[in-house]
Amino acid sequence: MNFELSEEQQQIKYSVREFAESEIRPHVMDWDESQHFPEELRPKLAELGLMGVLFPEEYGGAAMGYIEYATIIEELGRVCGSVGLSVAAHNSLCSNHIYTYGSEEQKQKYLTPLATGETFGAWGLTESQAGSDASGTRTNAIRSNGGWKVNGSKNFITHAIVCNTLVAVAVTDKEKGNRGITAFIFDKSMEGFRSDHKENKLGMRASETASVVFEDCYVPDENRLGAEGEGFLQAMQVLDGGRISIAALSVGIAQGAYEAAVKYAKERHQFGRPISDFQAIQFKLADMAVQIECARLLTLQAAATKDAGKPVTQKSAMAKLYASEAAVRISEESVQIHGGYGYTKDYPAEIYWRDSKLCIIGEGTSEIQRLVIAKNLLKTF
Ligand SMILES: Cc1cc2nc3c(=O)[nH]c(=O)nc-3n(C[C@H](O)[C@H](O)[C@H](O)COP(=O)(O)OP(=O)(O)OC[C@H]3O[C@@H](n4cnc5c(N)ncnc54)[C@H](O)[C@@H]3O)c2cc1C
């Protein structure tokens, strides 16, 4: 068992850190305030291989594994949760769904431009009446002229407006429940497919979240992902990988909040001493550091399991649950250590706190992670 990143992994970590510090950090508060989605980062993200982290070079990807992926998302999250979330959603949801279940033609046509960073991808599972219970999907696809006519809508979709490619699921056979849901690839040139209302959010404000609408949208059968009725199962497996990235994002947000707290605790003087001299503050910092280590270890364990090609549902749910809840606790403590200044936008503590909250909601809430974990452990014993 080796707990160290390899030299190459260290290099990836530091090149992403350098990029995040120089190209992202100076803009974080402005982007958050104006809800600006920094699409202008796309060419730079592509140059670093961050738009196609997990995919083979033949599709324009960087051919890295989940350990590298988790390390990259952590480094982005350490500086800006929103950019971390965007890169995570692009890679592990939309692109990975096509990579895992797409035909060779679909990969050439859709994955390659996603992996080379020509376009952002989006992934649509959630609907107004189908959140935690994705089997409640109402968007439907009916066979028509050798393809499918799709009607319905999806909510809370990352990159709904900016994307060219969207993978979404629709009911193709109502009688079959979960087994009657099928995945399709949509592109913005399709008539009857459009983005709609952009959310005004508490956190992750620089990550674009909006709805998409399908109105008699014709999708050729060649855009069906895998077999009919496999869409729900595919989505659950895609989420197993996605949750590793949300765990990594949580570790990054926690790390950023912790570093801000340590720095502030050393600078801020009260009662004639830096507040870091007070044991109450030291204990908070110690607890934060321990939780970050735990969260990182769980995340890298899930990543290593995924890289080994082993089942990862349980480990990714555990990593996501622990890391995201730790990120919320740690970023809240960071605000506390900053006192009244932590409550203002003059310091970064409050943004980490707001951003962290998404991590216990997106890609399955904490409650759903506990259900997944309990179901698995009861099955095992
Ligand atoms: C910023 C952001 C980005 C997102 N990006 C995407 C995206 O790109 N693609 C996409 O498809 N979705 C996306 N989502 C949607 C996200 O995955 C859902 O919001 C999430 O799965 C929860 O669904 P919901 O909001 O409908 O909550 P609900 O399912 O309505 O849950 C409400 C509450 O009830 C609890 N609950 C529900 N069922 C149970 C149960 N059985 N037992 C115990 N408690 C339960 C939940 O845990 C939660 O606390 C995004 C959301 C946000 C906020």
Side-chain angles (χ1 to χ4, degrees), residues 104-118:
E104 188 51 38
E105 292 73 30
Q106 288 169 339
K107 288 183 205 177
Q108 294 288 351
K109 185 170 175 189
Y110 292 106
L111 178 61
T112 302
L114 288 164
T116 52
E118 276 172 52

PDB file of all heavy atoms in Angstrom, residues 104-118:
ATOM      1  N   GLU A 104     -18.778   3.221 -31.339  1.00  0.00           N
ATOM      2  CA  GLU A 104     -17.563   3.839 -31.866  1.00  0.00           C
ATOM      3  C   GLU A 104     -17.898   5.140 -32.611  1.00  0.00           C
ATOM      4  O   GLU A 104     -17.220   6.150 -32.439  1.00  0.00           O
ATOM      5  CB  GLU A 104     -16.853   2.832 -32.790  1.00  0.00           C
ATOM      6  CG  GLU A 104     -15.478   3.257 -33.264  1.00  0.00           C
ATOM      7  CD  GLU A 104     -14.541   3.697 -32.138  1.00  0.00           C
ATOM      8  OE1 GLU A 104     -14.566   3.095 -31.040  1.00  0.00           O
ATOM      9  OE2 GLU A 104     -13.784   4.672 -32.353  1.00  0.00           O
ATOM     10  N   GLU A 105     -18.976   5.101 -33.395  1.00  0.00           N
ATOM     11  CA  GLU A 105     -19.376   6.294 -34.166  1.00  0.00           C
ATOM     12  C   GLU A 105     -19.756   7.435 -33.217  1.00  0.00           C
ATOM     13  O   GLU A 105     -19.390   8.589 -33.433  1.00  0.00           O
ATOM     14  CB  GLU A 105     -20.584   5.998 -35.077  1.00  0.00           C
ATOM     15  CG  GLU A 105     -20.308   5.055 -36.234  1.00  0.00           C
ATOM     16  CD  GLU A 105     -20.128   3.600 -35.792  1.00  0.00           C
ATOM     17  OE1 GLU A 105     -20.739   3.198 -34.773  1.00  0.00           O
ATOM     18  OE2 GLU A 105     -19.344   2.880 -36.436  1.00  0.00           O
ATOM     19  N   GLN A 106     -20.498   7.102 -32.163  1.00  0.00           N
ATOM     20  CA  GLN A 106     -20.911   8.136 -31.198  1.00  0.00           C
ATOM     21  C   GLN A 106     -19.688   8.738 -30.501  1.00  0.00           C
ATOM     22  O   GLN A 106     -19.620   9.943 -30.267  1.00  0.00           O
ATOM     23  CB  GLN A 106     -21.869   7.544 -30.167  1.00  0.00           C
ATOM     24  CG  GLN A 106     -23.255   7.246 -30.736  1.00  0.00           C
ATOM     25  CD  GLN A 106     -24.123   6.428 -29.801  1.00  0.00           C
ATOM     26  OE1 GLN A 106     -23.618   5.739 -28.903  1.00  0.00           O
ATOM     27  NE2 GLN A 106     -25.430   6.487 -30.010  1.00  0.00           N
ATOM     28  N   LYS A 107     -18.699   7.876 -30.196  1.00  0.00           N
ATOM     29  CA  LYS A 107     -17.498   8.402 -29.520  1.00  0.00           C
ATOM     30  C   LYS A 107     -16.737   9.340 -30.451  1.00  0.00           C
ATOM     31  O   LYS A 107     -16.285  10.415 -30.045  1.00  0.00           O
ATOM     32  CB  LYS A 107     -16.606   7.241 -29.084  1.00  0.00           C
ATOM     33  CG  LYS A 107     -17.190   6.459 -27.916  1.00  0.00           C
ATOM     34  CD  LYS A 107     -16.244   5.367 -27.486  1.00  0.00           C
ATOM     35  CE  LYS A 107     -17.003   4.261 -26.797  1.00  0.00           C
ATOM     36  NZ  LYS A 107     -16.193   3.134 -26.404  1.00  0.00           N
ATOM     37  N   GLN A 108     -16.601   8.912 -31.721  1.00  0.00           N
ATOM     38  CA  GLN A 108     -15.880   9.770 -32.676  1.00  0.00           C
ATOM     39  C   GLN A 108     -16.598  11.110 -32.839  1.00  0.00           C
ATOM     40  O   GLN A 108     -15.970  12.158 -32.823  1.00  0.00           O
ATOM     41  CB  GLN A 108     -15.803   9.087 -34.058  1.00  0.00           C
ATOM     42  CG  GLN A 108     -14.972   7.817 -34.087  1.00  0.00           C
ATOM     43  CD  GLN A 108     -13.480   8.081 -33.959  1.00  0.00           C
ATOM     44  OE1 GLN A 108     -13.041   9.232 -34.011  1.00  0.00           O
ATOM     45  NE2 GLN A 108     -12.694   7.040 -33.751  1.00  0.00           N
ATOM     46  N   LYS A 109     -17.925  11.031 -32.964  1.00  0.00           N
ATOM     47  CA  LYS A 109     -18.688  12.241 -33.279  1.00  0.00           C
ATOM     48  C   LYS A 109     -18.859  13.167 -32.071  1.00  0.00           C
ATOM     49  O   LYS A 109     -18.757  14.389 -32.199  1.00  0.00           O
ATOM     50  CB  LYS A 109     -20.067  11.836 -33.825  1.00  0.00           C
ATOM     51  CG  LYS A 109     -20.901  13.004 -34.288  1.00  0.00           C
ATOM     52  CD  LYS A 109     -22.139  12.551 -35.036  1.00  0.00           C
ATOM     53  CE  LYS A 109     -23.028  13.742 -35.390  1.00  0.00           C
ATOM     54  NZ  LYS A 109     -24.307  13.342 -35.919  1.00  0.00           N
ATOM     55  N   TYR A 110     -19.119  12.582 -30.899  1.00  0.00           N
ATOM     56  CA  TYR A 110     -19.464  13.424 -29.744  1.00  0.00           C
ATOM     57  C   TYR A 110     -18.380  13.485 -28.665  1.00  0.00           C
ATOM     58  O   TYR A 110     -18.156  14.533 -28.062  1.00  0.00           O
ATOM     59  CB  TYR A 110     -20.791  12.959 -29.120  1.00  0.00           C
ATOM     60  CG  TYR A 110     -21.969  13.207 -30.014  1.00  0.00           C
ATOM     61  CD1 TYR A 110     -22.588  12.159 -30.697  1.00  0.00           C
ATOM     62  CD2 TYR A 110     -22.453  14.496 -30.214  1.00  0.00           C
ATOM     63  CE1 TYR A 110     -23.681  12.400 -31.541  1.00  0.00           C
ATOM     64  CE2 TYR A 110     -23.540  14.743 -31.053  1.00  0.00           C
ATOM     65  CZ  TYR A 110     -24.141  13.692 -31.709  1.00  0.00           C
ATOM     66  OH  TYR A 110     -25.206  13.944 -32.546  1.00  0.00           O
ATOM     67  N   LEU A 111     -17.730  12.343 -28.390  1.00  0.00           N
ATOM     68  CA  LEU A 111     -16.750  12.367 -27.296  1.00  0.00           C
ATOM     69  C   LEU A 111     -15.511  13.184 -27.672  1.00  0.00           C
ATOM     70  O   LEU A 111     -15.001  13.963 -26.866  1.00  0.00           O
ATOM     71  CB  LEU A 111     -16.352  10.924 -26.906  1.00  0.00           C
ATOM     72  CG  LEU A 111     -15.299  10.822 -25.800  1.00  0.00           C
ATOM     73  CD1 LEU A 111     -15.797  11.458 -24.503  1.00  0.00           C
ATOM     74  CD2 LEU A 111     -14.904   9.360 -25.543  1.00  0.00           C
ATOM     75  N   THR A 112     -15.051  13.012 -28.924  1.00  0.00           N
ATOM     76  CA  THR A 112     -13.810  13.695 -29.308  1.00  0.00           C
ATOM     77  C   THR A 112     -13.896  15.223 -29.133  1.00  0.00           C
ATOM     78  O   THR A 112     -13.026  15.802 -28.469  1.00  0.00           O
ATOM     79  CB  THR A 112     -13.376  13.268 -30.731  1.00  0.00           C
ATOM     80  OG1 THR A 112     -13.219  11.849 -30.722  1.00  0.00           O
ATOM     81  CG2 THR A 112     -12.088  13.928 -31.158  1.00  0.00           C
ATOM     82  N   PRO A 113     -14.940  15.880 -29.658  1.00  0.00           N
ATOM     83  CA  PRO A 113     -14.999  17.340 -29.400  1.00  0.00           C
ATOM     84  C   PRO A 113     -15.148  17.702 -27.924  1.00  0.00           C
ATOM     85  O   PRO A 113     -14.686  18.763 -27.494  1.00  0.00           O
ATOM     86  CB  PRO A 113     -16.220  17.814 -30.187  1.00  0.00           C
ATOM     87  CG  PRO A 113     -16.868  16.627 -30.773  1.00  0.00           C
ATOM     88  CD  PRO A 113     -15.998  15.430 -30.576  1.00  0.00           C
ATOM     89  N   LEU A 114     -15.769  16.804 -27.143  1.00  0.00           N
ATOM     90  CA  LEU A 114     -15.884  17.085 -25.708  1.00  0.00           C
ATOM     91  C   LEU A 114     -14.508  16.966 -25.049  1.00  0.00           C
ATOM     92  O   LEU A 114     -14.093  17.829 -24.267  1.00  0.00           O
ATOM     93  CB  LEU A 114     -16.852  16.088 -25.044  1.00  0.00           C
ATOM     94  CG  LEU A 114     -18.343  16.269 -25.373  1.00  0.00           C
ATOM     95  CD1 LEU A 114     -19.135  15.024 -24.993  1.00  0.00           C
ATOM     96  CD2 LEU A 114     -18.909  17.495 -24.667  1.00  0.00           C
ATOM     97  N   ALA A 115     -13.790  15.897 -25.394  1.00  0.00           N
ATOM     98  CA  ALA A 115     -12.506  15.634 -24.738  1.00  0.00           C
ATOM     99  C   ALA A 115     -11.428  16.627 -25.157  1.00  0.00           C
ATOM    100  O   ALA A 115     -10.523  16.943 -24.377  1.00  0.00           O
ATOM    101  CB  ALA A 115     -12.056  14.200 -25.042  1.00  0.00           C
ATOM    102  N   THR A 116     -11.520  17.118 -26.385  1.00  0.00           N
ATOM    103  CA  THR A 116     -10.514  18.095 -26.822  1.00  0.00           C
ATOM    104  C   THR A 116     -10.903  19.514 -26.396  1.00  0.00           C
ATOM    105  O   THR A 116     -10.157  20.455 -26.604  1.00  0.00           O
ATOM    106  CB  THR A 116     -10.337  18.076 -28.362  1.00  0.00           C
ATOM    107  OG1 THR A 116     -11.631  18.217 -28.949  1.00  0.00           O
ATOM    108  CG2 THR A 116      -9.695  16.785 -28.839  1.00  0.00           C
ATOM    109  N   GLY A 117     -12.096  19.643 -25.833  1.00  0.00           N
ATOM    110  CA  GLY A 117     -12.479  20.939 -25.277  1.00  0.00           C
ATOM    111  C   GLY A 117     -13.084  21.891 -26.285  1.00  0.00           C
ATOM    112  O   GLY A 117     -13.126  23.102 -26.059  1.00  0.00           O
ATOM    113  N   GLU A 118     -13.578  21.355 -27.413  1.00  0.00           N
ATOM    114  CA  GLU A 118     -14.269  22.249 -28.351  1.00  0.00           C
ATOM    115  C   GLU A 118     -15.587  22.724 -27.770  1.00  0.00           C
ATOM    116  O   GLU A 118     -16.116  23.763 -28.141  1.00  0.00           O
ATOM    117  CB  GLU A 118     -14.587  21.497 -29.649  1.00  0.00           C
ATOM    118  CG  GLU A 118     -13.451  21.475 -30.635  1.00  0.00           C
ATOM    119  CD  GLU A 118     -13.791  20.543 -31.781  1.00  0.00           C
ATOM    120  OE1 GLU A 118     -14.867  20.686 -32.369  1.00  0.00           O
ATOM    121  OE2 GLU A 118     -12.957  19.652 -32.044  1.00  0.00           O
TER     122      GLU A 118
END
